[in-house]
């Protein structure tokens, strides 16, 4: 075979070998790019999934917080409603007011008892205190509304008139009754719709039914002293 022809074959063989190597390298490079894209896609999908799961968790937590807040608010409202619906306990004879001196002089501390002139009532009350302190039965009798009800631990007695009252004065105005009245401070008088209370309920005063400008004792409770 001629040398030129042999040399030509060798040159062609080397070119084919180089072409094969280049094709192989190109294939490897393309395969590597495909794997990188798949990995990137996979990572992107994972990130998206994590973000979506986090968002779902946040939404779930927010919903639970909103529900808890709402339930807490409802519970507080129910508690407030229960408190509003609970009736107040009415004052008893032993619940003396700490002070009835109004912060505003124009206010009337005896209004709930139907007394419209507090000054006139206090003048009458002080006059009654003086009459009792002086043991003036006649004057004390003038500050009594008849029939007078006198209660003790066993029964209730009705005093129909002034004459009967004076006759039984010492049985009605005992030392304890007199002491409770004389020592009563006007600032500490207890008042409700029934009238004005002295001490722990030993005496009760009110305005006159026919004449609201008159004031007097309408009830005496001896059993309060006994207790």
């Amino acid at each position: 075979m001629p040398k030129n022809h042999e040399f030509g074959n060798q040159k062609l063989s080397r070119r084919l070998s180089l072409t094969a190597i280049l094709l192989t390298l190109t294939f490897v490079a393309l395969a590597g790019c495909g794997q990188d894209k798949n990995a990137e896609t996979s990572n992107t999908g994972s990130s998206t999934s994590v973000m979506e799961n986090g968002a779902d968790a946040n939404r779930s937590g927010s919903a639970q917080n909103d529900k808890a807040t709402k339930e807490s608010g409802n519970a507080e409202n129910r508690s407030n409603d229960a408190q509003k619906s609970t009736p107040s306990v009415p004052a008893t004879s032993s619940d003396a007011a700490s002070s009835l001196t109004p912060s505003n002089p124009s206010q009337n501390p005896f209004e709930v008892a139907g007394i419209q002139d507090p000054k006139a009532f206090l003048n009458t009350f002080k006059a009654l205190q003086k009459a009792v302190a002086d043991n003036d039965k006649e004057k004390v009798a003038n500050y009594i509304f008849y029939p007078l009800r006198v209660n003790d631990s066993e029964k209730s007695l009705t005093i129909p008139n002034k004459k009967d009252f004076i006759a039984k004065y010492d049985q009605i105005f005992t030392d304890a009754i007199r002491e409770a009245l004389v020592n009563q401070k006007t600032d500490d008088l207890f008042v409700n719709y029934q009238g004005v209370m002295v001490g722990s309920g030993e005496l009760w005063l009110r305005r006159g039914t026919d004449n609201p400008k008159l004031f007097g004792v309408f009830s005496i409770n001896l059993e309060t002293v006994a207790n």
Side-chain angles (χ1 to χ4, degrees), residues 97 100 110 121 125 184-191 196-197:
L100 287 176
F110 308 108
F121 172 79
F125 185 79
Q184 176 66 54
K185 295 181 179 180
T186 56
D187 289 345
D188 295 333
L189 287 167
F190 173 80
V191 185
V196 180
M197 185 186 79

Side-chain angles (χ1 to χ4, degrees), residues 130-152:
K130 186 177 186 307
V132 171
D134 294 341
N135 201 30
D136 191 334
K137 301 177 183 179
E138 289 283 344
K139 282 189 177 180
V140 174
N142 291 331
Y143 297 107
I144 303 297
F145 283 149
Y146 302 99
L148 172 67
R149 184 175 180 179
V150 180
N151 304 306
D152 61 22

Side-chain angles (χ1 to χ4, degrees), residues 15 78 119 127 145 201 216-217:
R15 287 180 179 178
R78 287 193 295 270
K119 184 177 180 180
F145 283 149
V217 178

Side-chain angles (χ1 to χ4, degrees), residues 116-134:
Q116 300 302 319
D117 190 342
K119 184 177 180 180
F121 172 79
L122 289 175
N123 288 338
T124 299
F125 185 79
K126 292 175 181 178
L128 173 61
Q129 283 182 311
K130 186 177 186 307
V132 171
D134 294 341

Side-chain angles (χ1 to χ4, degrees), residues 136-182:
D136 191 334
K137 301 177 183 179
E138 289 283 344
K139 282 189 177 180
V140 174
N142 291 331
Y143 297 107
I144 303 297
F145 283 149
Y146 302 99
L148 172 67
R149 184 175 180 179
V150 180
N151 304 306
D152 61 22
S153 58
E154 298 180 355
K155 61 184 181 301
S156 178
L157 179 66
T158 300
I159 308 299
N161 51 51
K162 182 177 179 180
K163 182 179 179 180
D164 263 11
F165 174 78
I166 294 175
K168 298 178 180 177
Y169 181 85
D170 292 332
Q171 301 175 32
I172 299 170
F173 270 75
T174 62
D175 291 341
I177 294 290
R178 290 197 297 269
E179 182 180 354
L181 179 59
V182 172

Side-chain angles (χ1 to χ4, degrees), residues 11 16 38 50 53 58-59 68 86-87 102 145 162 165 173 178 188 191 206 213 216:
K11 188 175 181 180
L16 291 176
N38 290 336
V50 170
N53 290 337
N58 289 335
R59 285 194 294 271
T86 304
F145 283 149
K162 182 177 179 180
F165 174 78
F173 270 75
R178 290 197 297 269
D188 295 333
V191 185
R206 61 172 174 82
K213 294 183 179 181

